Amino acid sequence: MSWEVVIGLEIHAQLTTNTKIFSGASIAYGAQPNTQACPIDVGMPGMLPVLNEAVIGKSVMLGLALDAEIGRKSVFDRKNYFYPDLPKGYQTSQFNYPIVGKGKLEIEVDGVKKTIGVTRAHLEEDAGKSIHGAVAGQTGIDLNRAGTPLLEIVSDPDLSSAKEAVAYARKMHELVQYLGICDGNMQEGSFRVDSNVSVRRPGEPLGTRAELKNINSFRFIEKAIEFEIERQIELLESGGKVVQETRLYDSENDVTRSMRTKEEANDYRYFPCPDLLPVVITEETIEQINASMPELPDAKRARYVADFGLSDYDAGVLTGSRDMAEFFESVVEKTAAKDIKLCANWMTSGFSGALNKGGLTVKQSPIDADKMAGMLNRIIDNTISGKIAKQVFDAMWNGEGSADEIIESKGLKQITDSGAIEALVDEVLANNPSQVEAYKGGQEKMLGYFVGQIMKASGGQANPGQVNQILKAKLSD
Amino acid sequence: MSLGKTEVEYISRLSAIAVEENEVDQVAAKLSNILDLFSQMEAADTDGVEPMAHPLDQVQRLRADVVTEQDQHEKLQEIAPSAEAGLYLVPQVIE
């Protein structure tokens, strides 16, 4: 009998603000310990939190993008638990009245579309960091991260495979970056995915779930979930029981391990935070934010296919990030003929390939849109061929200047002077009398051989169209 | 509703508040009283009443997203029981 997999994800997206959710301390990454933890963040008695207006706008943007209900009146609650990196003894979060209510996100796996429900998204503050081993026998606490604004996005348990879970996580990752509300940096913990995984027999109630935490790459999230599904099925089939617990993924051995079991009831004793008043979001605010929303990835992809005539694959690559899409649109804008196909080809192969090879993001690219367009313009006006352009591109990538400078300094200008090309053709034909005989005897494939020889003799710089034309004329003499 | 010794010990563990052996009966009685009060409140008909998040009928004011706080960790750590290398120190936490 088969098993049915049920997965729900909790995603913590760190919001791209300058300051904390309830204080004016900076959230810049990498500062010396506790230098960005003010009296509010360290939980000094008598300190009053004041909500950062930026978190409201950013949360509403996500809500609108997920076609979700916006909490017109949202409330902050205290989630009580004890841990040394939580100095107040509670985390300020939202419980009954989150800022974003029910919404949805469409994913695609192997060409099949599926709509995944989003239960809610609520605002909360991050905790500090415990540092083990820095001081022998004690735990060090760095509260710089305490109070960093997080938006926790909770999915419905609608995901039924590791692939679907990762597709959803990636889609959300893309979305928050498009919206500019989260930088998506998984290494620095700005985008954290916790997976609740359980299995059941079809038609039966939900099985006991295990939670997979602290996995900072999509590839490992997929592997961890796959391992966990196998583990639970084996356990159940051999008569065991799944216990509700948090498990960590060990990527070296590709297994999950128990971190802590929740045998003690986790009673967080949520209650409304008396230090914060309810947050009211007016229709006017929502209207304003709606008007400022960027084009979302799905809409952009559809537009690239419909308006630009690009393939689904190319449209996917070009809209893979907002930076990539903006780079592409800027290149198209700057090229003389707005030759979209040419631009798209160079972006999806040459440019993307070079980025991947160097492990770089679009922002880190050594070539900007001006340089890229500069080179494409030289292809369009026949100064260089596509083949020579590859050399120019590599030189630009290595910081050797603009396309024009490189073409000039390396003498890569295409030969379009028909007299010069004729001379090359004559030379090659004179040097290959037997091949000429063969061609005239009916072996038409020799034509390719001549073109190759002529292009070689020109250092790749002869205009291939003209070469063909002149060559054919000469051979038919 | 009446709580016994087992429940008091359990709640004591969950809340991380130590209850001495000789206090258990007294704490059990007090907690039971509190729970009774809740039962009494629970009996009230609240259908159609909007839950109150805050006794003040006001709306949260917002702060501009601008850094206003300076580094004060040395001053704050002066009153901490233990600090070193910029870190607050606590008894080792075993995960």
Side-chain angles (χ1 to χ4, degrees):
Chain A
M1 202 156 77
S2 66
W3 291 92
E4 202 171 271
V5 175
V6 180
I7 304 167
L9 297 187
E10 289 168 18
I11 294 175
H12 287 87
Q14 182 182 317
L15 298 174
T16 48
T17 55
N18 299 313
T19 62
K20 297 193 173 172
I21 182 167
F22 299 122
S23 84
S26 168
I27 62 163
Y29 184 79
Q32 290 298 309
N34 291 307
T35 56
Q36 293 176 169
C38 74
I40 291 175
D41 311 321
V42 304
M44 283 288 160
M47 295 293 109
L48 271 184
V50 187
L51 187 62
N52 183 344
E53 66 177 2
V55 305
I56 302 298
K58 289 175 196 289
S59 306
V60 171
M61 280 180 99
L62 182 77
L64 293 172
L66 296 175
D67 197 14
E69 296 158 16
I70 305 295
R72 298 297 197 276
K73 185 173 176 181
S74 77
V75 175
F76 283 96
D77 298 271
R78 292 183 176 181
K79 177 182 180 179
N80 300 275
Y81 66 91
F82 293 103
Y83 208 72
D85 57 24
L86 189 75
K88 291 181 301 194
Y90 60 84
Q91 176 192 33
T92 307
S93 181
Q94 298 192 298
F95 191 54
N96 284 320
Y97 301 94
I99 189 153
V100 176
K102 220 153 178 28
K104 58 181 190 287
L105 186 68
E106 190 181 68
I107 60 165
E108 191 176 324
V109 173
D110 299 331
V112 181
K113 290 196 165 111
K114 182 171 173 182
T115 300
I116 307 301
V118 171
T119 317
R120 56 189 275 149
H122 62 261
L123 281 164
E124 63 185 27
E125 59 180 342
D126 207 344
K129 217 179 225 169
S130 300
I131 295 159
H132 307 283
V135 177
Q138 291 189 287
T139 296
I141 305 293
D142 176 6
L143 296 173
N144 279 351
R145 203 179 62 186
T148 298
L150 302 177
L151 191 57
E152 178 174 340
I153 310 157
V154 183
S155 85
D156 289 342
D158 287 349
L159 301 156
S160 41
S161 70
K163 265 191 172 172
E164 283 186 14
V166 170
Y168 169 87
R170 278 186 190 277
K171 193 83 186 274
M172 196 64 84
H173 187 241
E174 180 187 55
L175 184 61
V176 295
Q177 290 181 83
Y178 256 86
L179 294 171
I181 65 171
C182 170
D183 68 18
N185 190 323
M186 296 177 83
Q187 298 305 319
E188 289 176 8
S190 306
F191 188 87
R192 290 172 243 163
V193 181
D194 298 340
S195 321
N196 288 303
V197 180
S198 66
V199 298
R200 65 171 166 193
R201 296 292 190 191
E204 291 196 349
L206 286 175
T208 307
R209 66 173 196 263
E211 189 176 12
L212 305 175
K213 278 185 118 121
N214 299 339
I215 309 174
N216 60 8
S217 86
F218 292 118
R219 197 165 66 90
F220 287 150
I221 291 166
E222 185 166 344
K223 291 179 98 169
I225 293 174
E226 272 165 5
F227 174 86
E228 185 57 25
I229 292 167
E230 283 303 305
R231 187 189 70 89
Q232 291 187 12
I233 290 174
E234 272 176 34
L235 190 65
L236 293 169
E237 287 186 343
S238 61
K241 265 177 92 173
V242 175
V243 290
Q244 191 179 333
E245 62 182 354
T246 301
R247 297 181 70 86
L248 293 181
Y249 179 65
D250 169 359
S251 59
E252 263 175 50
N253 298 301
D254 192 22
V255 293
T256 65
R257 288 185 214 288
S258 178
M259 181 169 104
R260 55 170 181 246
T261 54
K262 288 189 173 166
E263 53 195 11
E264 299 268 333
N266 254 323
D267 184 348
Y268 292 124
R269 292 166 293 133
Y270 279 99
F271 61 85
C273 180
D275 287 346
L276 290 157
L277 291 154
V279 178
V280 170
I281 302 172
T282 61
E283 290 307 318
E284 208 186 331
T285 307
I286 296 172
E287 284 296 311
Q288 273 173 13
I289 295 168
N290 202 15
S292 72
M293 292 277 280
E295 186 180 29
L296 297 179
D298 282 350
K300 206 182 262 294
R301 263 189 288 279
R303 180 166 65 86
Y304 281 13
V305 172
D307 294 2
F308 295 168
L310 297 176
S311 69
D312 284 337
Y313 175 81
D314 285 352
V317 174
L318 293 171
T319 57
S321 71
R322 188 167 157 187
D323 287 340
M324 181 63 115
E326 282 172 358
F327 194 107
F328 168 66
E329 289 183 24
S330 171
V331 168
V332 170
E333 198 50 46
K334 289 170 201 283
T335 51
K338 310 239 181 319
D339 187 335
I340 288 162
K341 284 263 158 60
L342 180 76
C343 294
N345 284 342
W346 270 92
M347 291 295 297
T348 52
S349 57
F351 185 74
S352 279
L355 285 181
N356 288 341
K357 207 172 147 197
L360 301 175
T361 65
V362 173
K363 279 219 165 76
Q364 296 165 324
S365 159
I367 295 180
D368 61 14
D370 280 320
K371 281 211 174 102
M372 189 73 186
M375 184 194 81
L376 295 172
N377 279 332
R378 294 295 84 82
I379 300 176
I380 293 167
D381 69 14
N382 268 327
T383 306
I384 53 174
S385 65
K387 206 168 168 189
I388 291 290
K390 289 202 172 66
Q391 274 184 55
V392 175
F393 180 84
D394 289 344
M396 289 201 301
W397 195 264
N398 294 328
E400 293 172 37
S402 71
D404 284 335
E405 287 160 7
I406 292 161
I407 292 165
E408 181 64 36
S409 68
K410 296 195 183 233
L412 295 173
K413 203 167 177 312
Q414 184 160 250
I415 301 167
T416 51
D417 170 5
S418 46
I421 294 174
E422 253 181 76
L424 285 168
V425 173
D426 287 339
E427 186 191 320
V428 167
L429 294 182
N431 290 341
N432 298 282
S434 59
Q435 281 87 346
V436 173
E437 278 310 309
Y439 176 83
K440 289 191 168 158
Q443 288 194 41
E444 289 195 8
K445 67 176 197 295
M446 291 314 296
L447 198 65
Y449 170 79
F450 295 131
V451 171
Q453 291 298 309
I454 295 161
M455 291 307 290
K456 201 174 153 193
S458 76
Q461 284 166 257
N463 179 305
Q466 280 175 288
V467 168
N468 266 304
Q469 208 182 0
I470 294 170
L471 177 66
K472 276 186 187 156
K474 294 252 175 209
L475 285 169
S476 62
D477 276 352
Chain B
M1 190 177 188
S2 139
L3 292 180
K5 188 166 180 266
T6 329
E7 285 101 341
V8 170
E9 280 167 358
Y10 181 58
I11 294 166
S12 153
R13 194 161 69 242
L14 277 184
S15 59
I17 296 172
V19 176
E20 298 295 332
E21 188 66 35
N22 61 6
E23 298 171 327
V24 170
D25 286 346
Q26 203 192 350
V27 170
K30 278 188 180 171
L31 288 179
S32 301
N33 273 338
I34 294 169
L35 289 176
D36 287 342
L37 181 62
F38 274 103
S39 321
Q40 216 177 321
M41 288 194 287
E42 238 168 25
D45 178 11
T46 56
D47 280 358
V49 179
E50 196 192 334
M52 182 178 69
H54 202 281
L56 292 180
D57 189 19
Q58 286 178 11
V59 170
Q60 178 66 38
R61 285 188 55 184
L62 305 176
R63 171 179 62 78
D65 182 25
V66 177
V67 176
T68 52
E69 295 293 330
Q70 305 303 317
D71 172 22
Q72 300 189 60
H73 79 281
E74 284 179 10
K75 213 166 154 190
L76 290 168
Q77 289 184 348
E78 267 174 33
I79 54 168
S82 178
E84 199 180 306
L87 297 168
Y88 295 91
L89 296 183
V90 298
Q92 190 156 20
V93 182
I94 311 288
E95 294 248 324

